[in-house]
Amino acid sequence: MRVFSHLCRWIAEQCRLIGRTDLVTRVSPRHPTPDQLQTGSLVVVRDGALDKWACFRCPGGCGEKIQLSLSQARRPRWSVRFDWLLRPTIEPSVRQLNACGCHFWVKQGQVQWCRDSGHLQVPNRTNGA
């Protein structure tokens, strides 16, 4: 199923039916080590049916590992959902408080920069654009 999702997403991007995907989801029972966490990959750490963490590299250029708590009992917490093309959506926004200082949303696998992040939003090519 995962290979089918990747193939369908690639075809849709090439045909410009969807914009370029910045992040793709995979599920793992363990936290990824820094060398296992690839740019463009969002790892949902899942224990049974419970999603615990979302881990990915900062898209702002610093490459720092970002770990977002998905636990309902923790604060702050985020939610992650992904579609059949494995494109994640994260709520609420993510703000790096390190030197990178980026602030962004992830919607359908695309990083959307907030105005206060200092990063320019590059429009993604979509059908009709």
Side-chain angles (χ1 to χ4, degrees):
M1 180 64 174
R2 185 170 166 81
V3 172
F4 179 72
S5 296
H6 283 287
L7 179 62
C8 289
R9 187 181 57 256
W10 181 81
I11 290 169
E13 288 175 358
Q14 296 305 308
C15 294
R16 297 184 181 180
L17 299 173
I18 63 173
R20 181 182 52 84
T21 304
D22 298 315
L23 288 171
V24 177
T25 306
R26 72 178 171 90
V27 177
S28 173
R30 291 188 284 289
H31 274 276
T33 62
D35 58 310
Q36 293 173 328
L37 195 58
Q38 300 171 354
T39 300
S41 178
L42 181 138
V43 177
V44 173
V45 179
R46 183 176 286 167
D47 183 12
L50 183 63
D51 291 343
K52 293 186 168 188
W53 296 94
C55 306
F56 59 103
R57 295 239 177 248
C58 179
C62 70
E64 184 173 308
K65 180 179 177 181
I66 296 176
Q67 298 183 118
L68 304 177
S69 173
L70 305 177
S71 171
Q72 296 294 315
R74 295 181 140 231
R75 299 286 186 271
R77 74 165 184 254
W78 287 261
S79 67
V80 174
R81 63 183 186 283
F82 49 95
D83 61 17
W84 70 278
L85 295 173
L86 305 175
R87 300 176 304 165
T89 296
I90 299 173
E91 292 177 336
S93 66
V94 179
R95 183 178 194 113
Q96 282 284 72
L97 298 176
N98 63 4
C100 180
C102 63
H103 187 195
F104 57 92
W105 290 89
V106 176
K107 296 183 180 181
Q108 292 185 313
Q110 297 177 340
V111 173
Q112 299 176 357
W113 298 104
C114 296
R115 293 185 196 272
D116 63 349
S117 72
H119 291 278
L120 296 175
Q121 182 68 39
V122 178
N124 286 310
R125 298 177 308 193
T126 55
N127 191 26

